[in-house]
Amino acid sequence: MTNSSTNQTGLVLNIQHFCTHDGPGIRTTVFLKGCSLRCKWCSNPESIHPKPELAYNISKCIGKKQCGLCLKPPCSEGAFYVLEGEDDRIRINWDLASDCGQDCVDLCPTGALYLFGQAMTVEQVLDEVEQDSSFYRESGGGMTLSGGECQLQPDFSAALLQEAHQRGFNTAIETAFNVPWSHVEKVLPHVDVVLHDHKLTDPERHKKWCGVDNRQILANMKRAYETFPDKTFIARTPLIPGVNDDEDHIRSVLAFIRPYHNVIDYELLPYHRFGESKYGFLGRVYELKDFTSPLPESVQRLRSIIDEAFGRSSPLEQTHELKP
Amino acid sequence: MNATIKRIAINVGFGYSPGLNTVISGAVLAANELGWEVVGIRDGFEGLLFRDRYPDRGLVLLTPELVETLDPSSNILGTAVRNDPFHVRIINAESLVEEVDRSDHLLKTLQAEGIDAVISVVGTQGLSILYKLHRKGLNTICIPRSVENDIATTALSFGFNSTLSFVTELLDRAKQAAQSARQVGVVEVLGEHSGWLALQAGIAVCADAVLIPEIPYDLQKVATKLQDKFRTGRSHGLVIVAEGALSVDKEAVVASANPLKASLSPLATDYQGSHVIQRSGHAAQTVALQLQRLINQETYPLVLGDWVKGGAPTAVDRQLGLSYGAGAVRALHAGQTGVMVNFQPPNLSFVPLMEAINKIRIVPADSEFVQIARSLGICLGG
């Protein structure tokens, strides 16, 4: 690995330690920022936009009387304000604060204003990942790249995965495959396990719920299965009630993946709403506010279809959480 | 600026309310008197941002003859789900979804179309976006539209009166249903930040209690009021709860609130906390359940959701819509730009957009409506 590779910089959202659902063993998951889909159920909204992004936690604000620094230049006029009344804590006009960045965050002494996403080099990321290396050895774990869509930063991801391999770590990615094939070609040679989403089968329904149709996604999947026969692929469906929690979808995914022996499993990730609060921090509206988690018996019924297709006699115990 | 105006545009921001065509008619008729041409932009700004999607290239010529034929309850121009030219969602050449700033493109298109100014019928968020466009050079006049009447600086937003009338009619029916079933109806009405709709409709139907965001409620007080009435032989009750109403019980607030919109909500007091709408119907369900534990009577929740925004406008809103439309043209003619038309009875005036945004018109504790409600024996829970 050359210095230029380890100096490669990417936009990292978070590095999460001791993950157990993002590939084999105990893993360190590196979340990259930027996504090419807009799934309405996304539980990581802070990962969507491909640049650092302002967030606000009002409970940390000490108010105008004690501070009020964000009410003055260089912050944009009207971006921050205080309502009439006793509570003098800052409110954000998210439409006017959309250009606010590090300058505004630096003004905030309490950390109420903060940024999602920071530039990190491959070296910096791996130094942190390396801290968990003893757990990888014990558990057969390693490093997982997630997002957002980690393949949207192909050069950084490839360099990161390659260097992780050189340090002896198992590597995995979580991807939706909605990227140009040129990105896949760069990234996948350095990946051991590919966890990939089959969100919806029908192109038009995919467009409605995820912002774009799935033609590129399906083409990339097929090509990846065929181009990288030695890689392990695990298909996944975030199970959203009324959207894709039907037998037809499950069976069509099975029909898609079963011809390929390197697709070793198909997992269902029942919908949850754990990410909702983050929409608030970002000043965005969560569109599925009236959605609820699928019933356990419905999930089990669908899982039994998968078990049958994979020739498993007993239902798998799967308790994975939904990832975007 | 007025001497140079020949052609103006009008559009409608996200959301709907009864009688939008009356605003459009008001602007068209007033502009016609000045010899100006008026075009309508379809679906917010989308008509100009995605022109290829529209057979008429996203602009519709609005003439006095045309507006004479319009149904007052409708909206000929349509609205957009997203109406922010600074963050336009597109699918790029590589099939990747992204948000791009199309504000420059929008301004250039307006210029190319010879549109000298834009009148926008908008709610609170739309005001901020129009302010941003104004800072980039757009000549604009905004017309306040809110069925909750929560836009600051104007006494009456367009759409409120019609919604109030419709809600009142439905509450009358809910009251009859409660009377017939000998139960306590807990009816949730719109009102995330301000309780004008709940309070004024509650007064109109002489509800037993009205719970609004501005006055944290103690359900024990509501229960006591109802129990007093039951002792006199009454066997039913009607409680109106605005969707943003909150309890004085902090634990109940945290237990019931969803952090989802906390930071979105200008009235939020903490990220987990109050003034956060869990989901449509949550306020009614919470109050109905907790109230039933406190009184010796069955309760049932009922939700009047967004659909109360539809239907025919009242005479007040028709008159107000025409006035706002004409007032916006008057503002342009007077050389104004970057202002919102402001109705302080009996006058229409204009306030800079900066004075209209970042504020909420809430029910003051000493409001005449609060005093009237208390005088009528309506429990406000606090």
Side-chain angles (χ1 to χ4, degrees):
Chain A
M1 174 64 65
T2 62
N3 275 344
S4 63
S5 295
T6 52
N7 288 336
Q8 186 102 36
T9 302
L11 187 60
V12 178
L13 179 66
N14 186 24
I15 299 175
Q16 197 167 309
H17 300 268
F18 309 119
C19 301
T20 55
H21 300 316
D22 301 335
I26 296 172
R27 310 191 68 83
T28 305
T29 302
V30 181
F31 292 89
L32 304 189
K33 193 155 161 49
C35 188
S36 54
L37 298 177
R38 294 294 181 274
C39 306
K40 293 193 178 189
W41 52 82
C42 181
S43 60
N44 286 339
E46 75 279 23
S47 71
I48 294 173
H49 294 304
K51 58 181 183 182
E53 192 171 6
L54 185 73
Y56 179 56
N57 184 343
I58 193 172
S59 64
K60 290 188 176 178
C61 179
I62 53 175
K64 180 184 175 183
K65 279 180 203 144
Q66 290 188 64
C67 177
L69 291 169
C70 58
L71 295 170
K72 303 166 193 164
C75 295
S76 303
E77 185 189 16
F80 303 95
Y81 65 100
V82 175
L83 286 171
E84 285 179 21
E86 290 176 11
D87 187 349
D88 74 336
R89 286 178 298 178
I90 304 302
R91 267 68 181 172
I92 297 190
N93 183 323
W94 292 98
D95 294 307
L96 300 183
S98 57
D99 298 329
C100 294
Q102 192 64 51
D103 290 348
C104 299
V105 169
D106 288 344
L107 285 174
C108 182
T110 64
L113 285 173
Y114 55 101
L115 281 186
F116 277 124
Q118 66 176 107
M120 291 180 80
T121 64
V122 167
E123 188 83 41
Q124 287 171 321
V125 173
L126 283 170
D127 283 351
E128 187 161 344
V129 170
E130 186 121 39
Q131 294 169 14
D132 302 334
S133 57
S134 59
F135 294 98
Y136 308 154
R137 279 192 291 275
E138 294 294 323
S139 67
M143 181 186 79
T144 299
L145 289 194
S146 185
E149 171 54 71
C150 62
Q151 295 199 78
L152 273 184
Q153 299 183 52
D155 294 324
F156 178 67
S157 291
L160 196 52
L161 292 159
Q162 190 176 4
E163 179 64 12
H165 261 170
Q166 288 193 356
R167 297 191 189 192
F169 306 152
N170 175 281
T171 61
I173 63 169
E174 291 184 313
T175 179
F177 271 123
N178 189 42
V179 291
W181 175 252
S182 58
H183 294 208
V184 181
E185 271 182 321
K186 280 184 184 169
V187 174
L188 253 57
H190 311 294
V191 181
D192 298 314
V193 181
V194 182
L195 304 151
H196 61 293
D197 280 2
H198 277 262
K199 298 175 196 286
L200 281 146
T201 317
D202 178 70
E204 287 310 307
R205 279 174 62 76
H206 195 283
K207 186 174 181 181
K208 170 174 172 46
W209 291 100
C210 302
V212 65
D213 71 48
N214 58 357
R215 290 184 177 92
Q216 175 166 253
I217 293 171
L218 296 177
N220 279 342
M221 282 179 190
K222 275 193 176 172
R223 200 167 168 187
Y225 299 158
E226 289 161 2
T227 310
F228 301 99
D230 57 327
K231 306 293 180 190
T232 298
F233 292 84
I234 297 174
R236 293 172 144 187
T237 288
L239 211 56
I240 316 298
V243 177
N244 60 4
D245 62 338
D246 53 286
E247 284 189 28
D248 285 351
H249 175 61
I250 304 301
R251 290 190 192 283
S252 62
V253 173
L254 285 167
F256 186 88
I257 62 175
R258 286 308 284 150
Y260 302 97
H261 297 296
N262 50 347
V263 187
I264 63 156
D265 204 352
Y266 177 25
E267 298 176 343
L268 301 180
L269 313 175
Y271 168 74
H272 63 66
R273 297 168 57 149
F274 300 151
E276 277 185 21
S277 60
K278 292 184 280 191
Y279 282 81
F281 295 145
L282 293 160
R284 288 193 231 143
V285 175
Y286 184 61
E287 294 184 48
L288 305 187
K289 65 176 182 174
D290 289 338
F291 275 49
T292 54
S293 298
L295 295 171
E297 49 269 37
S298 304
V299 178
Q300 198 50 55
R301 182 175 49 80
L302 297 175
R303 280 182 177 149
S304 66
I305 295 171
I306 295 170
D307 288 335
E308 191 184 330
F310 277 88
R312 293 188 289 248
S313 53
S314 60
L316 276 180
E317 279 297 315
Q318 294 180 25
T319 54
H320 300 274
E321 290 173 1
L322 170 63
K323 291 288 186 295
Chain B
M1 187 186 73
N2 60 325
T4 64
I5 290 181
K6 293 191 173 87
R7 195 176 197 224
I8 62 172
I10 185 166
N11 72 346
V12 179
F14 169 68
Y16 64 104
S17 58
L20 285 161
N21 274 346
T22 63
V23 185
I24 295 166
S25 297
V28 171
L29 295 173
N32 184 61
E33 291 297 311
L34 296 169
W36 300 352
E37 185 176 277
V38 183
V39 288
I41 305 171
R42 293 207 184 272
D43 299 336
F45 283 116
E46 290 203 355
L48 292 183
L49 293 171
F50 301 100
R51 305 199 74 175
D52 293 344
R53 294 181 186 172
Y54 298 87
D56 55 11
R57 305 277 293 155
L59 285 180
V60 53
L61 181 63
L62 298 168
T63 63
E65 295 73 30
L66 175 69
V67 299
E68 267 186 24
T69 66
L70 295 181
D71 172 2
S73 63
S74 186
N75 168 19
I76 186 179
L77 298 177
T79 63
V81 175
R82 298 171 203 284
N83 197 36
D84 179 0
F86 295 92
H87 300 92
V88 178
R89 186 170 291 178
I90 61 155
I91 300 169
N92 69 18
E94 294 181 317
S95 286
L96 313 179
V97 187
E98 60 182 8
E99 281 78 24
V100 294
D101 182 351
R102 286 274 181 88
S103 56
D104 287 334
H105 169 80
L106 174 69
L107 294 177
K108 279 181 190 161
T109 307
L110 286 165
Q111 194 175 19
E113 283 289 342
I115 293 168
D116 302 308
V118 175
I119 295 171
S120 281
V121 190
V122 289
T124 45
Q125 188 188 10
L127 286 172
S128 293
I129 291 167
L130 266 296
Y131 171 66
K132 236 173 136 179
L133 285 168
H134 172 65
R135 284 203 307 207
K136 290 193 79 165
L138 178 70
N139 292 320
T140 183
I141 308 291
C142 290
I143 292 171
R145 185 203 65 206
S146 167
V147 298
E148 299 171 13
N149 207 21
D150 58 358
I151 296 179
T153 73
T154 188
L156 190 56
S157 287
F158 176 71
F160 173 69
N161 186 267
S162 305
T163 309
L164 175 63
S165 296
F166 190 37
V167 167
T168 301
E169 182 189 331
L170 292 170
L171 290 178
D172 274 335
R173 294 171 187 230
K175 196 173 184 179
Q176 287 167 2
Q179 198 165 10
S180 166
R182 300 187 176 185
Q183 292 180 345
V184 176
V186 179
V187 186
E188 180 180 310
V189 302
L190 296 174
E192 181 176 355
H193 307 306
S194 65
W196 294 107
L197 194 59
L199 183 59
Q200 291 185 234
I203 290 172
V205 300
C206 277
D208 296 301
V210 176
L211 310 178
I212 60 176
E214 295 86 343
I215 304 176
Y217 62 78
D218 176 354
L219 277 187
Q220 189 58 58
K221 291 183 179 173
V222 179
T224 303
K225 169 65 86 178
L226 286 168
Q227 296 282 40
D228 287 347
K229 293 195 174 183
F230 296 155
R231 273 192 282 276
T232 64
R234 233 289 230 117
S235 56
H236 69 278
L238 183 66
V239 176
I240 318 298
V241 51
E243 57 183 349
L246 69 151
S247 168
V248 290
D249 179 353
K250 299 288 183 202
E251 286 185 17
V253 170
V254 173
S256 66
N258 182 323
L260 163 61
K261 290 170 101 180
S263 292
L264 284 177
S265 169
L267 289 181
T269 52
D270 64 60
Y271 78 97
Q272 293 181 307
S274 50
H275 287 278
V276 177
I277 298 172
Q278 173 94 343
R279 62 179 185 277
S280 176
H282 181 77
Q285 281 178 6
T286 303
V287 170
L289 189 71
Q290 292 176 358
L291 194 58
Q292 191 168 262
R293 293 188 179 121
L294 300 173
I295 60 175
N296 190 23
Q297 187 65 282
E298 278 179 70
T299 64
Y300 66 92
L302 195 64
V303 183
L304 309 184
D306 278 345
W307 52 282
V308 297
K309 297 176 182 177
T314 58
V316 169
D317 262 339
R318 288 173 74 152
Q319 186 178 310
L320 189 64
L322 287 161
S323 304
Y324 269 140
V329 170
R330 194 205 300 167
L332 287 171
H333 188 56
Q336 300 269 2
T337 178
V339 299
M340 183 185 86
V341 187
N342 170 35
F343 179 49
Q344 294 294 342
N347 301 315
L348 275 184
S349 58
F350 316 111
V351 293
L353 287 175
M354 193 60 214
E355 288 180 23
I357 62 176
N358 293 344
K359 296 184 181 87
I360 297 171
R361 185 173 178 272
I362 59 170
V363 180
D366 59 352
S367 150
E368 193 61 47
F369 283 109
V370 170
Q371 310 304 327
I372 290 168
R374 293 193 195 282
S375 304
L376 293 171
I378 297 172
C379 177
L380 299 178

